[in-house]
Amino acid sequence: MSLNVLSTEESPRFRAFGPHHIEEVARRYGLPADALEAVRAVSQVLPFRVNEYVLTELVDWHRIPEDPIFQLVFPQRGMLDPAEVELLIDLGRRAGRKEIAAEVRRIRAGLNPHPSGQLQLNVPTLAEEQVAGLQHKYRETVLYFPSQGQTCHAYCTYCFRWAQFIGDADLRFAARGPEQLLAYLGRHPAVTDVLVTGGDPMVMSTERLRAHLEPLLSVDTVRTVRIGTKSVAYWPQRFVGDTDADDVLRLFEQVVASGRNLAVMAHFSHPRELETALARRALARIRATGALVYCQAPLIAHVNDDARTWADLWRGELASGAVPYYMFVERDTGPRQYFEVPLARAHRIFRDAYQQLPGLARTVRGPVMSTTPGKIVVDGVEETPQGRFLQLRMLQAREPSLVGRPFRALYSETAAWVDHLELDPSTPPDIAAAVGPATRQALSGAHG
Ligand SMILES: *Cc1c(COP(=O)(O)O)cnc(C)c1O
Ligand code: SF4
């Protein structure tokens, strides 16, 4: 490999900063008192985790609090009800631990921490037992959740897995090892894709990751291994300079040498994440293994809700040799009112960005809702003598006969999810039956 490698001396070891380090972060980076107070209060309710790289290379400290990366990783005042924030600040001054903890529990419960019992959906059974750490929704793809990969190098404030990061989710659903996955694949030869997801599987050491991946290489029916990760954005040292960075690249090469596709499903929320020398080098090194890199992220108010940002992001991905893949619609959990972008506006942002792209970046699809029956894309707005409609299409579905079929809903400027929409009465019955109750959302990897 001809690419320069940073020596480990130049590359500090990974260290996470959490709610207990807020004062230290504030001192080092000059967080204004008002923002500090908000972070301190809100991070009691919502997860908070950053690291040195995010703090020094990504956040623009001259633009606090509007900076999109600051919004991406630091809890904000507006994420909770103003009265709740005031209460938390007040309790922090005078109340005891127990009283604060009770209030925190009450506020969390109001934030839909477990949208639609997602952990139970689509969990397959083997010999009538539920298989821990697997989800099988689309015929050809299973999602695999290794238990050691259920955290991340930093937390996104919008993550729909937030309940897991505050210790309020049942992690018994995750897999300790690949034994059951292998048994399941043995009985389901139609599964060609295994998507390893989390949390972020790249938080695992190479040795651990190898223990999950290597056994897949003896399953002939598995043709593609995908790894969902935000590590290139949050800790590119994972591929450049970490003590086992070179080993992980060898592991990727091994998967490719087995004749399989290795696809890194990279989560990039903002073009700045692709601009650092480390991130570029990480992508170049990943690509040099023969792995493919596909990129996806949700559309989030305060972080990336304008067409220019997405056009820059997708152009940056293309320039790095990565493939723009999905723009997602944010899910119904956590501080959704803070992040929400209505479907009609989401479509305008997508279209305005898409129109600026060279053809090779028009591989991207969006805005996409990942719902119980499948992935639904908003394709456009249709003006007819009967009125305006939002054009929709199933991109991926549990039921294969629904895939690729267009349908439409009455236009709404405010609907932010398919369950806020009214379907056109002439919608084909099978689609109406599938999408009508599509109010629930499926468990899928955060980087699905
Ligand atoms: C998105 C997703 C997949 C992968 O779908 P592709 O369109 O093949 O990328 C698999 N499982 C679930 C549950 C998903 O949401
Ligand atoms: S979106 Fe991904 S990287 Fe961000 S906190 Fe969630 S699982 Fe972690």
Side-chain angles (χ1 to χ4, degrees), residues 47 49 72-73 149-162 164-165 197-201 203 228-231 234 267 269 298 445-447:
R49 184 178 226 225
L72 172 67
V73 292
Q150 297 308 312
T151 181
C152 309
H153 291 103
Y155 292 149
C156 312
T157 41
Y158 58 67
C159 183
F160 73 94
R161 296 196 152 275
W162 66 278
Q164 164 177 332
F165 303 134
T197 184
D200 193 327
V203 300
T229 184
K230 192 156 172 84
S231 56
Y234 280 164
H267 173 184
S269 319
H447 310 290

Side-chain angles (χ1 to χ4, degrees), residues 307-362:
R308 169 107 187 259
T309 298
W310 283 93
D312 287 348
L313 178 63
W314 291 330
R315 272 194 296 260
E317 290 166 357
L318 182 67
S320 305
V323 183
Y325 191 51
Y326 280 137
M327 172 206 264
F328 288 117
V329 178
E330 177 63 354
R331 290 153 181 252
D332 180 18
T333 177
R336 179 176 180 168
Q337 90 300 345
Y338 189 78
F339 292 125
E340 190 165 274
V341 180
L343 297 172
R345 181 161 172 256
H347 166 68
R348 287 194 293 272
I349 291 171
F350 179 90
R351 181 201 58 198
D352 292 348
Y354 191 84
Q355 286 176 349
Q356 303 176 40
L357 297 179
L360 286 180
R362 290 195 185 148

